[in-house]
Amino acid sequence: MTTGGSSGAPRTLAEDLRARDDDALAALLRARPDLLAPVPTDLTQLATRAATRTSVLRALDHLDAFTQQAAEALAVTADGCPYDTLRELMTGRSPVAGVGEALDPDVAAAVAGALPRAVAALREHGLIWGEEDRLRLVRTARDVLAPSAATPSPTGLGPSVAEATAGMSPARLQEVLADAGLAATHDPSSAITALAGLFADPERFGALLAEAPEGARAVLDRLVWGPPYGEVRDATAAVRAAGAGTPVQWLLARGLLLPAGQHNVVLPREAALALRAGRAHRTPQPVPPAVAPVQRTAKTVDATAAGQAFTAVRTVTDLLKEWQTGGPAVLRAGGISVRDLRRTAAALDLTEPQTAFWLELAYAAGLVATDGEVDEAYAPTPAADEWLLLPAERQWAALAAAWLAATRTAGLVGTRDPKGRALAALGPDLDRSLAPRVRRGALRLLAALPLGAAAGRGDLLARLRWDRPLRAAADALREDLLGWTLEDAETLGVTGRGALAAHARPLLDSAEGLGQDRAAALLSPLLPEPLDHVLLQADLTAVAPGPLVAALAETLGVLADIESKGGATVYRFTPDSVRRALDAGRTAAELQAFLTKHSRTPVPQPLSYLIDDMARRHGTLRVGAAAAYLRCDDDALLTELLADRRASGLGLRRLAPTVLAAQTDPSTLLERLRAMGLAPAAESADGDVLITRPDARRTPPRTPPVPVPDGPPVPDAALLGLAVKAIRAGDRAATAVHRTPSDPPPGLPRTPAADTLATVQSAVLTGESLWIGYVNAEGNATQRVIAPVRVEGGYVTAYDHTADEVRTFAIHRITGVAELAEDPS
């Protein structure tokens, strides 16, 4: 905050920043982290960056609705606006002579109470500067927010009298003054001042309106709150008061409406403000709209959400099992085809939009990825194996944390991009940087309600719009994102019956690892205890009366096929499922022992017979790679196979009494023989049986997709402190007055070479940061803030805070070093 009287008032934004303390500068850099890329060399450069259009637009987009309204009010008044004038623009004044409508007293009091906070926020974001008697809006912000013919102001106000009469002849200006009852002037400038003064004087303006014919006030009422432009037959005709035959002509003759083209008129800003009783906005929004709670029972909410969380874990587990022997192929443009999405949806017994959500969630959590092969396909990652071994509550916490941070948006799957191309699941162009902000914003609003309380979608959307107003296209996207967020949160078990669950709250408030630990701890008591047994039945099925421990579920998933899901899962044993277990290296004895150990009922005789029969037949035929061959000790079986019509397409030919050659690859041959009811086994080049595990298809190690950031990250306190010190140091050097021709360029410290080396070596040991001057090979001199890491061979390796990266500097090119100390003055 600037201090002192008006005589010492800052004349530029840089001077205003120079007068702020370090905490205020740090607050500015925290609010606008884009100003730190890289760290500005001094305050003049910081002020220049803060005034660029891109940076100003980004800053305006991060303000709440009322703070934006305060900025919009400043944009429609003269530069150097006193605080009292701004307050009147926000609250209005009492109507005079029946002109205007007063703001509700309670609302006006709320506006006056909230205005200091809004002004402080604008100052913190570097959008206004100066003292309270002369608040100045950054010029770029004024250009963005001020009304013009191309971009009307959110206030609904039009151009000023001076702007609207820019093309009007001096003679016509004098005619308008005369018809408005004003004295003639000697030049257009004084004429414009006189007309604007008439509109700004409530009593004289009210007296003028009292003479208006019927219908004139109705015309003004249509334009007063915007848009301020209207269409007429001939706006440029020089109508005098004596010849005015219509309400519009009466208003044009007296300057209450001014021509804005051949067939358009505009209500000048000063007249509109008079009609509004001095208010810039029709509906000021000093406080955020309330989010009305819809009360639920907290216990019911948590139980419902826990049930959904358990279902979420099982769904992702089923997805990984479905793809564990190889997922769908990757399209040339990325993602999976609609056919593969439908096939996966059918396997999971879900709709296609639901399946797209789970696919994107598994991808965001790093559980599925592309395998990188020539014929690229999707498959589980090595991280999926680790995830499958976790307890259910930790599995859910990992999924929920990935969902909160993900920018990929499953709701867009099936829609079309601007070029008309359909967006595919797991494909490109699904990232929306706004998604995490909407998710966290909506969930934090739910977290602020009483425990167990839900909220309506409309209330949440209104509050999000107040917290951060967006342009039309972005606001439409936010509305869609909010709808998807509420649906996904319910599906994932973050909410139950629309209310935030207790086990989801830690994910919003804590660091990632700690938040997941606390969320898992709260969810654990709400989940069913994993079971270590099943119930075998005589119809070749097994019933799991609840969730199974990971090892049992994995082995049973290989030995049997899931027939139905629900509170209890039904597994069915078939010849193919038993063969699958034998292919995985299990023996009949091991399978019998496994079932005996984990069944609360005796192993049914039909199941024992099925296992023994498949084990006796398994591996009788051996398939190896020649192109492919079959080997069998029973030559009668090979003779029977040669005569079988179903094998006609395999190109079988006898090479020896116990060996057949095939004109197809081993994998195809295995599939065809199994389809014929046989139980062949694959063998290696050495003749050993190949064991195929269900998790054989895994991608190389993959990292989860990195969310697309919504702007630069907010710097931590340590970086902010270093940045402020560096900017202060550079500013002191840049504004130094006493220099000699032998001095180095401004901003570069000078120390002897021995002192430079000693200081750098000391900084390596202490971990301190230094301010250095550096001259590169081209002779360009710069200043840097570095944190030295290592000194060897005449070079210093250091983290360069200015460039935000690790660099190597030649010591002989360092002009000098200095500590980042406060200015003693």
Side-chain angles (χ1 to χ4, degrees), residues 500-793:
L500 187 65
H503 54 260
R505 292 174 182 267
L507 296 174
L508 299 176
D509 302 328
S510 303
E512 181 177 353
L514 180 61
Q516 291 187 41
D517 291 342
R518 292 178 56 197
L522 291 172
L523 177 61
S524 180
L526 303 175
L527 296 179
E529 189 72 23
L531 303 176
D532 62 354
H533 65 273
V534 295
L535 304 175
L536 294 177
Q537 303 187 109
D539 60 350
L540 296 180
T541 61
V543 178
L548 301 177
V549 294
L552 175 56
E554 181 181 2
T555 303
L556 194 60
V558 177
L559 180 57
D561 297 324
I562 295 178
E563 187 170 82
S564 66
K565 303 175 185 177
T569 304
V570 178
Y571 294 84
R572 178 166 293 281
F573 300 94
T574 66
D576 284 342
S577 69
V578 174
R579 180 209 31 91
R580 190 168 63 229
L582 295 171
D583 285 344
R586 298 297 186 100
T587 65
E590 290 174 342
L591 295 178
Q592 296 278 12
F594 170 81
L595 293 175
T596 301
K597 176 182 178 182
H598 292 288
S599 176
R600 290 291 178 88
T601 58
V603 179
Q605 193 176 55
L607 179 56
S608 295
Y609 285 167
L610 174 62
I611 293 174
D612 291 341
D613 182 57
M614 290 303 301
R616 183 173 58 255
R617 296 164 54 197
H618 184 263
T620 302
L621 285 176
R622 301 289 185 87
V623 175
Y629 66 83
L630 287 84
R631 184 168 65 83
C632 183
D633 294 336
D634 185 358
D635 58 348
L637 179 57
L638 294 182
T639 301
E640 180 182 345
L641 188 58
L642 283 170
D644 196 323
R645 292 182 179 179
R646 293 175 296 175
S648 59
L650 299 176
L652 298 178
R653 182 168 58 89
R654 189 185 293 272
L655 299 181
T658 59
V659 180
L660 297 182
Q663 297 179 3
T664 185
D665 61 275
S667 60
T668 303
L669 183 57
L670 281 167
E671 292 176 6
R672 292 286 297 276
L673 293 177
R674 288 167 180 167
M676 293 168 61
L678 300 172
E683 72 175 19
S684 67
D686 299 328
D688 299 323
V689 175
L690 290 176
I691 296 175
T692 58
R693 295 179 57 82
D695 58 352
R697 285 297 300 275
R698 290 293 184 266
T699 70
R702 297 283 194 238
T703 56
V706 179
V708 177
D710 183 19
V714 177
D716 57 28
L719 180 56
L720 283 175
L722 289 173
V724 169
K725 288 182 179 180
I727 294 171
R728 290 287 193 199
D731 196 62
R732 288 195 297 270
T735 56
V737 177
H738 301 290
R739 292 174 48 213
T740 66
S742 61
D743 285 337
L748 298 185
R750 168 80 73 169
T751 56
D755 292 347
T756 297
L757 180 58
T759 304
V760 171
Q761 290 174 333
S762 176
V764 172
L765 298 176
T766 60
E768 295 180 352
S769 295
L770 301 174
W771 171 41
I772 69 169
Y774 193 73
V775 179
N776 61 17
E778 288 76 26
N780 297 323
T782 59
Q783 57 181 340
R784 312 292 180 95
V785 176
I786 66 171
V789 177
R790 184 175 61 255
V791 178
E792 60 182 8

Side-chain angles (χ1 to χ4, degrees), residues 20 31 44 91 94 176 218 304 326 355 357 386 416 424 512 522 559 592 651 653 672 755 780 787 797:
R20 300 187 187 188
T44 300
T91 61
S94 299
V176 171
T304 303
T355 304
F357 168 72
E386 300 175 5
R416 296 192 175 273
E512 181 177 353
L522 291 172
L559 180 57
Q592 296 278 12
R653 182 168 58 89
R672 292 286 297 276
D755 292 347
N780 297 323
T797 302

